Each structure stands twice: as C-alpha cells, then as structure tokens.
Amino acid sequence: MTMWGHKASGERLRLPPLIKSLSAKLLLLTIVFVMLAEVLIYAPSIGRMRLVYLQERLAAAHLSILALEATPDNMVSKALEAELLQHVGAYMVALKKPDQGKLMLMVDGPETIDATYDLSRASFFGLIRDAVVALAAQENRLLRIIGPSPKDPAVEVEIVLDEAPMRRDMLDFSYRILNLSLIISVFTAALVYLSLHLLMVRPMRRITASMAAFRENPEVAAGGLTSTERSDEIGVAQRELVTMQEGLRAALLQKTRLAALGAAVTKVNHDLRNILATASLISDRLARSGDPAVRSMAPTLVGAIDRALHLCAQILEFTREGPAHLDLKRFDLRDLMTEVREGLAGVGVGRAGWLNEVERGFVIEADREQLYRVFSNLGRNALEAGASEVRIAARPVRDFLVVDVEDNGPGVPEEAREHLFKPFTGSTRKGGTGLGLSIAHDIVRAHGGDIRMERSSGGGTIFRLVFPVEQSKGQPAAKKAS
C-alpha cells in the first residue's frame, strides 16, 4: 500500500468502460429527457389532430347539404344521397340554420350511438382525454358529432360516423410523431454528448489522470496538469488543483530536506555535543582565571555555548519526534511555572524578569514534561528577544483553561507573523530557527488545545494557550484545589 492511496504504485489508472462512462450516462439521459419532452408535446398535438379531423368532416357535411338546397323540394335521389354521405364518411348528416328548419341526409346504418361529442364545448384537457379514449378503444364505436360549421359558424352541423377511420388516422399520425421524436432525440443527444464530452468529460479525465500521476510521484512536476484560462467551474477546479499540487509538492520537498537534515543532525549531534562539552569545561577554567580580562569574557562564551547546546537539542528533538505522546499527570501549575523560571535563570535578565501570577493550588491534568517545554520555549524566546519581564497568568473559562504568556519585548516582526508556528520560517528574532514555537504548537495541539498570538506591538507580545477541561476520561483538565 502507498501513502497516497489504496492502489499499488505500479497499478495504472483504470477509467470506466464506455458503456459505464459519464458520457454514456449523459447520452442516455438526454434521449430520455427529449422523449419525455416529445410526449408532453404529443398529447396536445394528438388532441388537436382529432379536433381538426372532426371539423373537416363537419365542413364536408355542410357542403353535402348544399345539394339539397339546390333542389326545389330539398330532396335528392337515394343514390345521390348515398354518394354524398360516402364522401363525408358518415351515416347521417344534418344541418340547421338560424330561424330555418333542419336539412338531413341519412342512409341505413347502426342504430345505437356509443358516444356524443359537442365540439363547441371542447376544452384543452378534454380534447386530450377524448383522444386517449379513441386510441385506447379496442372496437369501432358509432359517434355523434355536433358543432358549428367551419364554413359558417352560425350554422350547426350534426353527423353520425364510425370512429375506426379516425383512429387509423390518429395512429398513423402517432407513428410519424414517434419516428420524428426518435430522430430528434438521437440527433439532440449526439450534439449534447459531443458538447459535454468536449467541455466536461475530457477535461475531467485530464484532471483525474493528473491526480493519479501526482499520487504516483508527487515530487515530479514534469507532465503535470497546467493552469487554464477557462472561467467556468471546470476551469476553477483545474486551477485550484494545480495550485494545490504545487503547494503540496513544495511541502513535500521541504519535508524531504528536513528529513535529510534530521538524519545528518542525528549523525553529527553526538560529536558536536562532545565538542561543546569540552568548550564548556574550558570556559569554566577561563572563569576561574586570574586575568580579569579573561574572566570578563567567560560569561559571553558560556552563554554562546549554552545557546549552541540548546539549538542542537531542539533540532534533534524536532527531527526525531513524531506525534507527541502524553503522559498525563495531575500537578500544580504554579509549581511548574516556578521550575520554568529556575530553568531560565541564566537567560536574558533571568529570575528578576519572571512574574508568576498563577494562583497556588491551581491543579491541572496534563503531561508535565511536555508543558515544561512549551512554557520554557515561550519564555526563552521572549527573554532572548530583549524582554525584561515575562508575566504568566491562568484562569478557567467555562470548559477551558486559558494561560497567557505576556512579555514587554520589542514584539514579533511583521514578516514572521504569517508563518509563526512553522519550523525554520517562523522565528521571532534574527538568526532563530522557529523550532521553539513549532514544538510548543504541536504539544498544545496534542493536548487538544490551541495556541495563538493574541497581540504584538512595540510594547510587548501576548501568547494565549487554551486547553480543554477534559484531558483524560471522566477527569477535568484543570481545577482549583480546595
């Protein structure tokens, strides 16, 4: 298994087959949606087609009645009457004009009327319903149709006809609509498929391939994804991915260098500490020298050696340590601050500059040694930066313990604030490594808390540490002893 994913590093990225790809799904969905739209269009269309068919029959019936009006007695022969009705496609035709009697043509046919429709009362949904009923009918029905003549709206026409011929025309119309809908659906789906494939699928495949290549070899930038000028969501995602990969690649390179530095420091640390120990012994002898000039130089030499030893210890601890392992104990916080003051007695202005305002009996549950390192690093940074006073205060706030470390030094430089808790980049003084704050940050986070710089100016700096009340199961992190 690799640290970058669940696939072995040698396994190539396998994209889904075409039938299961995003393009195929988009193609199928497009066809379905277009067909659905066609169905919504077909329903009123078939209702309108049925209405036009019946209106044409009414118009033909009106024309056939004109043959009666041309005769003196409004009568025609049986043969002509049958021929006229055959042209209309009806068994009976009747016409009624305002203030006149009814004229009629009729031949023998079925006597039972199955349904009557008045076209003057037709509605949108009613036409759709009637069309569906006509298409669903299994047997022929005899229909009685009443409505105004398309030739003269003042004339009312009534006809009796078979439904079967109309249903055949409606089915033929439906087949034509279905074939046209399929052609439109496939054509539209193909266009949508090509558009989406070019605009979305191919860019997403490139992004996926770049992610896979980055997973395989994150430190190599050759052949990786490049930024794009696209202004849509795909372009934004690609630019963000490129930025993320560049940031991760830089972080990995930095961690690689830090790992190499740690290995090198581990190898030379023993010899370097021996050299510094020898120098420390010599400095002690110089301090006891009878020459006043030599004795005056000894404290400077001792301070330099102490700083070198402290730097070696910090670097070695930073490169060796993984996540902080906590050995939780209960102890008085004021006593811990007193020990920190003793440990920093030779740094800066020493004991006189350390104000321990933590109340006696303030018991906290935490890793004592780790917290000693936190406050020692904060205090040392302040004193070495030029502070003449460091003040420690603690108070419980709801479910948290808040500790303020305040000094009256020159403040944190502006360029160091952005990377304050990052190793080798967040030093608060010239020539520093930034390891002290980085180590303190990791330890506080391991306790489930947080550390931040509350304020910094020419008049001093305040670091605020916040620990949760609960550290171990069922026990509070801090309480005031009775």
Side-chain angles (χ1 to χ4, degrees), residues 46 66 100 110 155 244 263 277 298 301 314 360 405:
I46 193 65
L66 294 180
Q100 293 185 16
V155 176
M244 182 194 71
L301 179 58
Q314 273 195 329
R360 173 67 63 183
V405 180

Side-chain angles (χ1 to χ4, degrees), residues 427-450:
S427 175
T428 59
R429 68 182 188 281
K430 185 177 180 180
T433 62
L435 288 177
L437 288 177
S438 176
I439 293 172
H441 178 266
D442 291 343
I443 293 174
V444 173
R445 285 294 182 91
H447 280 80
D450 193 18

Side-chain angles (χ1 to χ4, degrees), residues 65-124:
I65 293 295
L66 294 180
L68 293 178
E69 294 181 339
T71 62
D73 55 356
N74 294 331
M75 297 281 293
V76 295
S77 65
K78 292 291 183 179
L80 180 60
E81 186 176 20
E83 186 176 356
L84 290 174
L85 290 174
Q86 183 180 3
H87 283 293
V88 177
Y91 294 106
M92 185 274 290
V93 170
L95 183 143
K96 182 179 180 181
K97 294 183 177 180
D99 302 326
Q100 293 185 16
K102 180 183 291 187
L103 298 176
M104 181 181 299
L105 294 173
M106 185 173 63
V107 295
D108 295 334
E111 297 181 357
T112 304
I113 303 296
D114 296 305
T116 299
Y117 295 101
D118 188 349
L119 299 186
S120 63
R121 300 179 181 180
S123 62
F124 177 81

Side-chain angles (χ1 to χ4, degrees), residues 232-254:
D232 55 12
E233 291 81 356
I234 297 291
V236 173
Q238 183 168 333
R239 286 192 294 272
E240 290 297 321
L241 179 61
V242 171
T243 303
M244 182 194 71
Q245 288 180 347
E246 291 174 350
L248 287 176
R249 189 173 291 116
L252 288 172
L253 291 175
Q254 183 185 31

Side-chain angles (χ1 to χ4, degrees), residues 308-352:
L309 286 170
H310 178 71
L311 176 60
C312 289
Q314 273 195 329
I315 294 177
L316 184 61
E317 289 172 357
F318 179 78
T319 55
R320 277 183 174 178
E321 290 181 348
H325 176 72
L326 303 182
D327 182 14
L328 299 178
K329 297 179 181 178
R330 302 184 66 78
F331 55 89
D332 193 303
L333 186 60
R334 181 177 177 85
D335 292 340
L336 176 66
M337 298 305 173
T338 301
E339 291 186 22
V340 174
R341 182 193 65 184
E342 298 292 340
L344 298 177
V347 181
V349 297
R351 184 189 301 265

Side-chain angles (χ1 to χ4, degrees), residues 233-422:
E233 291 81 356
I234 297 291
V236 173
Q238 183 168 333
R239 286 192 294 272
E240 290 297 321
L241 179 61
V242 171
T243 303
M244 182 194 71
Q245 288 180 347
E246 291 174 350
L248 287 176
R249 189 173 291 116
L252 288 172
L253 291 175
Q254 183 185 31
K255 290 185 180 296
T256 301
R257 296 190 185 100
L258 288 177
L261 174 62
V265 169
T266 302
K267 294 178 181 179
V268 304
N269 180 71
H270 179 72
D271 293 336
L272 183 58
R273 289 177 68 89
N274 288 339
I275 294 172
L276 292 174
T278 302
S280 180
L281 292 175
I282 295 175
S283 67
D284 291 339
R285 293 181 181 180
L286 291 176
R288 296 192 296 269
S289 173
D291 189 340
V294 174
R295 288 199 307 270
S296 65
M297 296 174 60
T300 303
L301 179 58
V302 171
I305 293 173
D306 287 342
R307 287 193 296 273
L309 286 170
H310 178 71
L311 176 60
C312 289
Q314 273 195 329
I315 294 177
L316 184 61
E317 289 172 357
F318 179 78
T319 55
R320 277 183 174 178
E321 290 181 348
H325 176 72
L326 303 182
D327 182 14
L328 299 178
K329 297 179 181 178
R330 302 184 66 78
F331 55 89
D332 193 303
L333 186 60
R334 181 177 177 85
D335 292 340
L336 176 66
M337 298 305 173
T338 301
E339 291 186 22
V340 174
R341 182 193 65 184
E342 298 292 340
L344 298 177
V347 181
V349 297
R351 184 189 301 265
W354 189 270
L355 301 179
N356 186 359
E357 298 183 0
V358 179
E359 297 182 22
R360 173 67 63 183
F362 203 104
V363 178
I364 179 174
E365 181 186 41
D367 189 314
R368 199 176 196 280
E369 294 301 321
Q370 298 281 20
L371 286 194
Y372 178 92
R373 294 173 61 190
V374 170
F375 293 108
S376 177
N377 287 342
L378 292 174
R380 180 181 292 273
N381 284 348
L383 295 174
E384 289 182 349
S388 61
E389 181 179 282
V390 179
R391 185 179 68 88
I392 309 293
R395 66 187 187 278
V397 178
R398 295 190 299 274
D399 296 333
F400 296 89
L401 168 67
V402 179
V403 181
D404 287 338
V405 180
E406 181 178 0
D407 66 68
N408 62 349
V412 178
E414 190 68 32
E415 61 273 13
R417 297 183 183 184
E418 184 177 354
H419 307 287
L420 194 59
F421 298 104
K422 295 182 179 179

Side-chain angles (χ1 to χ4, degrees), residues 37-51:
E38 291 292 341
V39 168
L40 296 178
I41 296 174
Y42 167 76
S45 298
I46 193 65
R48 179 66 183 175
M49 179 265 170
R50 176 180 175 275
L51 175 64

